[in-house]
Amino acid sequence: MKSAVVEITERIRERSQGLRSAYLRRVEAMAQRARGPERLGCANVAHAFAALPGSDKFRVVAEKGPNIGILTAYNDVLSAHQPYEGYPALIRDEARRHGATAQVAGGVPAMCDGVTQGYPGMELSLFSRDTIAMSTAIGLSHDTFDAALLLGICDKIVPGLLIGALQFGHLPCVFVPAGPMASGLSNGDKSKVREQFAQGLVGRDDLLKAESAAYHGAGTCTFYGTANSNQMLLEAMGLHLPGAAFVHPHDGLREHLTRAAVQRVLALRNEQAPLGKIVDERCIVNAMVALLATGGSTNHLIHWVAVARAAGILIDWTDFSELSAVVPLLARVYPNGAADVNQFQAAGGPGFVIRELLDAGCMHGDVLSVNGPSLRAQTKLPVAAADTDGQGHGQGGVRWIEAPMRSGDTSVVRPASDPFSASGGLKLLAGNLGRAVIKASAVPEDRHIIEAPAIVFDTQDALQAAFKAGELERDFIAVVRFQGPQANGMPELHKLTPPLAVLQGKGFRVALVTDGRMSGASGKVPAAIHVSPEVLAGGALGKVRTGDLLRLDAVAGTLDALVPAQIWAERVIAALPDDLAENNAHGLGRELFGGMRRNVRTAEEGAVTWL
């Protein structure tokens, strides 16, 4: 393995030793207890299984068959999660075939950022992750389960399910994905229409037609944002069946994979591989490496810090940055390139990338996974099969074959010997404005350094209004402050991409600096995001005034206000205006999240609300 990967992993292990040891002691203590139906009182057991058919009651109580808890994020609003509607019945059927039972332990909330983007509901988005984690804990707290299947895909849902399930680390758990929608209007063409709309060149009807052609059916959105990055990370952590991530919802193979997940989670009960032991520091590093090698979502620099913390592991942005320096970029998927996630899958997908990273010494192969004691299983691809191949590699209607040795499209996926770049797609920035991250791989090289006067905005709406008024036809760095977790829940700022992209297309040198989030939507515009600490927590971004010269340097990794030191030291941090504070606290349920805004940790600490 690369020495830097080993050294960073060891540093994380040493840093986490006390927390991790305590976590594992709790996991082991829970694992030593008798099964729920034998341990709980008779009234408790009767309540738990009252609604089961008689044969299932007999199976779980008298025959002591295993009981699988299903945590589902199904709803009809998320295209990615709509296919989950029929999964519980399918899982119950497969469980019965193997002498087991299955119950929906709970549903977890799952909001679509695409629906709430740019509106007040988006301010609940980040906090929904911890709400999902708590909902997962509530479902599993019935304490009658021998294993769990986790049905979730999108942005906060996977991290939330994983954080919640890690509190029940004694249970074997498998994530069950549902796959991406078929390719529609390309992401590039969609972005062009958005920019034309921002310029007033097309109307709402044309924009809606384009958006509906891009987002047109069941399945995950096809750009490589947080949702599809989630799936890549779960593959790299060995928490999926190999290659399950990007099989389409209506492909016949999808049902076979779901049934195989039931079989696998039942088998894990005898393999000493509960979730809490699988997710160790090597597993977390593998997820970080996969993110960097594929230019994945910047949101995971928040989410995976929280996931790691839930398993007693401490990571920070410096760990990501140092890994990025030695991990090659092997994939270009929009907004990191032109391809969509279906093209990524066709070119080799997660199996190809994981094998290349293992062979290049960038990943830990000697780890537990839901598929055995090695990550090598994740380099295989699922194919339909009548039954097993006689070698134990097939389960029901699935068998696994080796991923192709060569990329199916080198404009999308490349081998580690010929990467798109020698370093990963994310970069840490640090300076007198704080610490931030940038998705440098999505930005043209001639835009990696921007030095320009600041224009300060308190809201994203104010920036959009200035654009529409023609006030931004110049070089500048937009500072959009009061967008952190304490201020308003740290919403995504995707609606700022079109106007900034239009200005960049006109030849102006523009960039964004914010204590909010932007994820994959930042695209080709340089965006220093997640500035930490945020303004409301005393962050220096609150000292910036319109006209200050700022420098964003993704080459040197710096983010500074070029203001004389004495003047900078004397500056007072701006206060959140009373009208904004009042607005942020009310409407569309924001009242109910006041406690989270008050207690949330910094973005670099995972924006967790439960510590």
Side-chain angles (χ1 to χ4, degrees):
M1 289 190 64
K2 287 189 175 183
S3 59
V5 177
V6 174
E7 290 166 6
I8 293 165
T9 305
E10 180 61 19
R11 182 175 71 206
I12 293 170
R13 189 195 66 78
E14 291 179 358
R15 180 195 304 149
S16 310
Q17 190 168 11
L19 279 174
R20 179 65 176 169
S21 296
Y23 172 80
L24 289 175
R25 284 195 298 271
R26 292 192 294 271
V27 167
E28 185 61 28
M30 294 289 283
Q32 295 303 315
R33 302 173 309 153
R35 290 181 64 244
E38 287 85 54
R39 185 182 67 255
L40 299 177
C42 293
N44 306 80
V45 173
H47 275 87
F49 305 123
L52 283 180
S55 58
D56 281 359
K57 287 182 187 178
F58 182 80
R59 182 177 291 117
V60 73
V61 177
E63 295 184 344
K64 300 184 179 180
N67 186 34
I68 300 169
I70 304 168
L71 278 301
T72 177
Y74 159 71
N75 67 49
D76 288 332
V77 178
L78 270 74
S79 61
H81 289 202
Q82 184 276 335
Y84 281 139
E85 182 176 13
Y87 277 40
L90 181 67
I91 290 167
R92 290 189 198 101
D93 178 69
E94 188 63 25
R96 289 183 184 117
R97 292 169 185 259
H98 299 277
T101 53
Q103 295 176 289
V104 173
V108 303
M111 69 181 293
C112 179
D113 288 358
V115 175
T116 60
Q117 192 60 242
Y119 295 95
M122 185 68 204
E123 295 177 14
L124 308 186
S125 172
L126 179 60
F127 292 148
S128 77
R129 182 200 68 200
D130 287 2
T131 306
I132 290 162
M134 290 186 285
S135 300
T136 301
I138 289 169
L140 291 176
S141 70
H142 292 103
D143 206 17
T144 58
F145 305 109
D146 301 291
L149 292 176
L150 307 170
L151 279 55
I153 297 169
C154 287
D155 302 51
K156 290 76 46 197
I157 295 93
V158 163
L161 284 167
L162 186 48
I163 290 167
L166 280 165
Q167 311 317 306
F168 299 80
H170 60 289
L171 293 176
C173 297
V174 175
F175 274 83
V176 182
M181 69 176 67
S183 299
L185 181 70
S186 74
N187 290 296
D189 288 341
K190 174 192 67 182
S191 295
K192 288 177 185 176
V193 178
R194 287 179 175 178
E195 292 176 22
Q196 290 171 341
F197 179 77
Q199 297 174 82
L201 301 177
V202 301
R204 180 180 172 87
D205 288 347
D206 288 327
L207 179 61
L208 181 57
K209 182 179 178 181
E211 298 286 1
S212 298
Y215 308 114
H216 60 86
T220 315
C221 304
T222 59
F223 65 93
Y224 195 58
T226 311
N228 287 318
S229 297
N230 277 337
Q231 302 309 296
M232 181 69 216
L233 268 60
L234 289 180
E235 294 271 348
M237 296 172 79
L239 297 179
H240 273 171
L241 292 187
F246 300 126
V247 175
H248 288 289
H250 303 303
D251 188 315
L253 183 59
R254 177 55 67 194
E255 177 179 336
H256 294 313
L257 283 166
T258 301
R259 290 184 179 275
V262 177
Q263 298 172 40
R264 190 87 280 273
V265 82
L266 291 173
L268 284 172
R269 295 173 57 248
N270 300 317
E271 295 180 13
Q272 309 266 318
L275 181 66
K277 289 186 179 179
I278 289 176
V279 182
D280 64 8
E281 64 279 353
R282 297 167 300 168
C283 178
I284 292 293
V285 167
N286 283 346
M288 297 162 75
V289 167
L291 179 73
L292 297 165
T294 56
S297 170
T298 52
N299 277 329
H300 291 311
L301 275 77
I302 299 174
H303 292 325
W304 249 251
V305 172
V307 167
R309 182 64 178 77
I313 299 166
L314 299 174
I315 60 174
D316 58 30
W317 291 350
T318 298
D319 299 324
F320 278 99
S321 181
E322 292 184 9
L323 282 171
S324 187
V326 298
V327 171
L329 181 66
L330 302 186
R332 283 207 177 277
V333 189
Y334 187 86
N336 199 31
D340 68 16
V341 75
N342 293 312
Q343 292 168 295
F344 171 61
Q345 173 76 352
F352 180 91
V353 170
I354 291 170
R355 187 187 63 217
E356 289 296 314
L357 292 169
L358 284 169
D359 290 347
C362 295
M363 274 186 165
H364 297 277
D366 58 336
V367 292
L368 281 175
S369 80
V370 300
N371 304 297
S374 170
L375 195 62
R376 285 282 168 185
Q378 301 300 136
T379 67
K380 297 183 182 295
L381 300 177
V383 295
D387 51 32
T388 63
D389 61 5
Q391 302 298 316
H393 298 150
Q395 295 177 355
V398 188
R399 68 184 180 91
W400 278 266
I401 62 174
E402 294 291 339
M405 296 303 295
R406 294 184 179 181
S407 168
D409 185 344
T410 55
S411 71
V412 181
V413 177
R414 287 188 181 177
S417 59
D418 182 29
F420 290 103
S421 71
S423 58
L426 300 174
K427 186 90 174 182
L428 173 66
L429 306 176
N432 66 5
L433 291 177
R435 284 160 68 88
V437 296
I438 184 172
K439 194 169 188 175
S441 59
V443 178
E445 288 192 9
D446 66 344
R447 302 283 167 154
H448 281 195
I449 300 174
I450 302 289
E451 187 173 304
I455 303 180
V456 179
F457 302 95
D458 288 347
T459 68
Q460 58 179 319
D461 290 339
L463 189 155
Q464 289 179 298
F467 172 78
K468 290 176 181 177
E471 298 170 358
L472 302 180
E473 302 277 322
R474 49 184 155 143
D475 293 354
F476 71 98
I477 292 180
V479 173
V480 183
R481 63 191 185 185
F482 303 125
Q483 303 301 308
Q486 289 186 30
N488 65 352
M490 204 179 189
E492 299 266 20
L493 304 175
H494 288 192
K495 285 186 178 284
L496 299 184
T497 300
L500 292 174
V502 167
L503 293 168
Q504 182 168 282
K506 290 183 176 182
F508 297 115
R509 298 187 67 78
V510 299
L512 172 69
V513 178
T514 180
D515 49 8
R517 294 185 296 141
M518 206 165 189
S519 182
S522 55
K524 60 190 177 183
V525 177
I529 58 179
H530 307 174
V531 175
S532 186
E534 64 174 293
V535 174
L536 222 63
L541 197 63
K543 292 185 175 185
V544 178
R545 305 291 184 258
T546 294
D548 287 346
L549 189 63
L550 306 187
R551 181 178 176 87
L552 185 164
D553 188 337
V555 178
T558 58
L559 181 65
D560 289 294
L562 305 182
V563 176
Q566 184 174 347
I567 294 175
W568 189 250
E570 293 172 353
R571 284 260 180 99
V572 176
I573 295 171
L576 179 68
D578 290 342
D579 61 334
L580 284 183
E582 175 69 13
N583 178 72
N584 294 349
H586 298 282
L588 293 182
R590 287 179 288 179
E591 297 88 343
L592 303 178
F593 291 77
M596 286 186 165
R597 288 192 295 272
R598 287 190 295 273
N599 294 319
V600 66
R601 297 290 185 97
T602 67
E604 188 166 5
E605 293 173 292
V608 297
T609 61
W610 36 267
L611 288 178

